């Protein structure tokens, strides 16, 4: 005698999936916050110690702070555009959601280009003291943030074009916007940190 088992697929509600995904993104942000703060701690620790005056050797020129703040400013603008997109979908405005997220994606791609350009034109190399190596590490972390946000932004624009979101179901927009805002905050933290250059 053969017994046949039939199983019914389990479908979770959008609220359940949304809560779990929000928690996942918040944990990612907290983990990344710990990483950024560890880099900030490293910066101030090495600057304070200044072992053998090797923080900034006499023949090393520091990076332009204006370039760093330009990258940060563009990140803030991009996150603001993403937030406006979130507000638009809460009002069920598909066209505004697409418009704001497209602009946010374009500006974050521009920001990645600006950060890579700044990194490429640093007037020092990794071996030119602890300031140089820590500065490159901070810039590299920002490149990672911006590249990941570019990837998420491209996916969001494609999904928005397919009308995947509504005022009742937009948790993907919400969690990506959370990340976008965090990237801007991390960039502000980095720029503020690198203002404290001299030991």
């Amino acid at each position: 005698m053969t017994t046949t088992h039939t199983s019914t697929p389990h479908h979770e509600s959008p609220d359940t999936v949304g809560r779990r995904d929000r928690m996942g993104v918040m944990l990612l942000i907290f983990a990344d916050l710990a990483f950024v703060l560890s880099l900030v701690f490293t910066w101030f620790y090495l600057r304070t110690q200044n072992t053998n005056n090797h923080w900034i050797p006499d023949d090393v020129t520091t990076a332009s702070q204006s370039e760093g703040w330009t990258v940060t400013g563009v990140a803030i603008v991009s996150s603001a555009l993403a937030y406006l997109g979130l507000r638009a979908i809460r009002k069920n405005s598909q066209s505004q959601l697409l418009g704001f997220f497209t602009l946010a994606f374009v500006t974050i791609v521009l920001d990645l280009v600006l950060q890579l350009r700044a990194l490429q034109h640093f007037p020092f190399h990794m071996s030119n003291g602890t300031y140089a190596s820590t500065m490159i590490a901070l810039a590299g972390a920002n490149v990672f943030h911006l590249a990941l946000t570019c990837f998420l932004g491209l996916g969001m624009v494609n999904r928005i074009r397919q009308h995947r979101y509504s005022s009742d179901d937009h948790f993907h927009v919400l969690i990506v916007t959370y990340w976008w805002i965090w990237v801007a905050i991390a960039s502000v933290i980095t720029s503020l940190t690198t203002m404290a250059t001299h030991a």
Side-chain angles (χ1 to χ4, degrees):
M1 179 174 157
T2 304
T3 304
T4 304
H5 296 280
T6 58
S7 59
T8 303
H10 176 68
H11 297 287
E12 295 179 314
S13 69
D15 286 341
T16 300
V17 176
R19 282 194 300 271
R20 187 176 62 239
D21 288 356
R22 280 195 294 272
M23 178 61 69
V25 170
M26 293 307 295
L27 290 174
L28 171 63
I29 290 173
F30 284 131
D32 197 59
L33 171 63
F35 171 67
V36 171
L37 291 181
S38 69
L39 289 177
V40 170
F41 171 80
T42 300
W43 173 279
F44 285 106
Y45 177 79
L46 293 174
R47 190 198 72 162
T48 303
Q49 292 298 310
N50 194 20
T51 305
N52 297 324
N53 291 320
H54 202 60
W55 170 245
I56 305 177
D58 293 336
D59 59 343
V60 172
T61 303
T62 58
S64 168
Q65 290 189 6
S66 62
E67 284 189 337
W69 279 108
T70 299
V71 170
T72 295
V74 175
I76 292 171
V77 170
S78 186
S79 66
L81 289 167
Y83 176 72
L84 290 173
L86 173 62
R87 290 186 60 183
I89 194 58
R90 283 173 172 167
K91 298 175 183 176
N92 211 28
S93 176
Q94 296 285 338
S95 60
Q96 288 187 8
L97 172 65
L98 179 58
F100 283 127
F101 256 87
T102 300
L103 289 173
F105 172 64
V106 170
T107 53
I108 208 67
V109 170
L110 171 63
D111 208 28
L112 176 59
V113 171
L114 291 172
Q115 181 63 84
L116 288 171
R117 183 179 179 278
L119 185 58
Q120 183 181 7
H121 290 89
F122 277 164
F124 45 74
H125 301 287
M126 185 71 77
S127 59
N128 295 141
T130 48
Y131 161 81
S133 59
T134 312
M135 188 73 182
I136 290 172
L138 286 167
N142 202 39
V143 167
F144 167 76
H145 287 150
L146 295 172
L148 180 55
T149 310
C150 287
F151 175 77
L152 293 173
L154 178 61
M156 288 299 299
V157 170
N158 286 334
R159 290 176 67 86
I160 292 167
R161 291 177 60 197
Q162 296 170 11
H163 302 287
R164 297 286 187 92
Y165 306 114
S166 67
S167 57
D168 297 323
D169 183 10
H170 60 272
F171 65 88
H172 278 156
V173 181
L174 178 65
I175 61 179
V176 170
T177 303
Y178 281 167
W179 172 260
W180 220 296
I181 292 170
W182 158 242
V183 168
I185 293 171
S187 188
V188 170
I189 293 172
T190 299
S191 291
L192 289 173
T193 298
T194 55
M195 288 179 68
T197 301
H198 297 287

